[in-house]
Amino acid sequence: MIKVVFFDLDDTIVDTSKLAEMARRNAIENMVRHGLPVDFDTAYHELLELINEYGSNFGRHFDYLLRRLDLPYDPKWVAAGVIAYHNTKFAHLRSVKGARKVLLELKREGLSLGIITDGDPIKQWEKILRLELDDYFDAVFISDFVGVKKPHPKIFKKALRRFNAEPHEALMVGDRLYSDIYGAKNVGMKTVWFKYGKYANRELDYLEYADFTINSLEEVLNIVRRLTSEGEKRSDKEVHAD
């Protein structure tokens, strides 16, 4: 029987891939608008390369962009990028379709809910709080805060201990086959791959670790109910066997 359902955050609960692309494009456009002496395509390409090398949580993307473009440091250009980036995030941040309904129904059915996500703690909590999702979750585990990143088993085991749950009593829902699905399966959890966002067709070598594949988050409800029903039937058989 399922006791707790864990969700990844980005592109599982919060729609971030499209948001990030939009924010980055708007940032470069605003920098060019305020005097950056480089065309949009060149600057945007360099920004994507920089993000690929340093990661999306690196705090000095626009500073380093000027260095890569062999331009002098100009705080006006950096400010233009930062303003457009954050304004886009604040204006267009959305939860994934059906997310609130799923979370509400799971809570009504008596399940505990948790988030297991990688990333910067402040940025991840900002998404949760801006969308007013915090009341749905009993605990949030963020890699840069707990000191271990998915798919390392320790972050999943920490989460299980918090809920006093055995691995077979937990379900992990995520968009990444490697970090979410492979990681959770390795500690014995049930897994649901949400085929969504930029990883929808990536990391397919790890597909075998997904117990279920879904294209809509609302499918999680039927999966939980099915697993709960199967668990109850097994319990009944064990009682009658005794």
Side-chain angles (χ1 to χ4, degrees):
M1 181 180 295
I2 297 300
K3 179 177 179 180
V4 55
V5 181
F6 293 108
F7 292 88
D8 175 47
L9 184 63
D10 295 315
D11 281 338
T12 302
I13 295 296
V14 179
D15 200 336
T16 51
S17 285
K18 295 175 184 176
L19 176 65
E21 181 182 357
M22 185 188 307
R24 291 163 187 164
R25 285 184 172 276
N26 288 349
I28 295 300
E29 286 178 356
N30 205 38
M31 293 175 79
V32 172
R33 188 179 302 118
H34 285 88
L36 186 75
V38 178
D39 66 273
F40 172 86
D41 289 339
T42 299
Y44 185 65
H45 176 73
E46 287 292 342
L47 178 63
L48 293 184
E49 284 197 351
L50 198 159
I51 291 168
N52 186 54
E53 292 171 20
Y54 287 87
S56 60
N57 289 318
F58 183 61
R60 300 181 64 191
H61 286 136
F62 301 121
D63 302 70
Y64 275 41
L65 177 62
L66 299 185
R67 297 180 188 181
R68 292 174 75 101
L69 294 170
D70 295 320
L71 295 172
Y73 179 78
D74 189 327
K76 177 184 177 182
W77 297 338
V78 174
V82 170
I83 289 169
Y85 183 85
H86 286 292
N87 283 351
T88 303
K89 281 180 59 179
F90 299 157
H92 298 281
L93 186 66
R94 299 285 186 276
S95 57
V96 169
K97 181 181 179 183
R100 292 180 188 276
K101 175 184 176 182
V102 170
L103 298 175
L104 182 60
E105 287 296 320
L106 291 174
K107 293 295 284 186
R108 283 176 174 170
E109 294 184 17
L111 284 100
S112 298
L113 302 180
I115 289 176
I116 304 176
T117 181
D118 288 335
D120 176 85
I122 301 298
K123 289 185 177 181
Q124 298 302 71
W125 268 113
E126 181 183 13
K127 296 168 190 172
I128 295 167
L129 295 176
R130 281 189 178 277
L131 292 173
E132 299 182 343
L133 296 169
D134 51 311
D135 286 342
Y136 291 106
F137 295 98
D138 304 287
V140 176
F141 302 87
I142 304 174
S143 63
D144 287 10
F145 186 75
V146 301
V148 60
K149 188 175 182 179
K150 296 181 294 185
H152 199 293
K154 284 186 178 180
I155 192 168
F156 295 101
K157 290 179 179 179
K158 282 175 180 282
L160 289 168
R161 284 198 298 272
R162 163 62 177 78
F163 288 93
N164 193 29
E166 296 297 322
H168 69 271
E169 296 175 316
L171 185 71
M172 178 69 198
V173 183
D175 68 302
R176 292 201 58 177
L177 282 167
Y178 177 59
S179 56
D180 299 321
I181 304 308
Y182 168 73
K185 193 65 178 177
N186 270 349
V187 299
M189 295 167 65
K190 294 291 185 180
T191 57
V192 179
W193 178 40
F194 183 24
K195 193 176 180 182
Y196 187 83
K198 65 182 180 180
Y199 286 96
N201 294 298
R202 301 184 191 179
E203 305 176 340
L204 297 179
D205 289 346
Y206 296 93
L207 183 58
E208 64 184 283
Y209 295 95
D211 293 308
F212 305 92
T213 298
I214 60 175
N215 294 298
S216 167
L217 204 58
E218 293 176 83
E219 295 176 63
V220 171
L221 295 172
N222 288 333
I223 290 171
V224 170
R225 289 162 184 161
R226 171 180 164 185
L227 292 174
T228 299
S229 175
E230 290 175 355
E232 290 172 347
K233 289 178 181 178
R234 279 196 297 271
S235 297
D236 289 342
K237 287 181 179 178
E238 291 170 359
V239 169
H240 288 104
D242 292 339

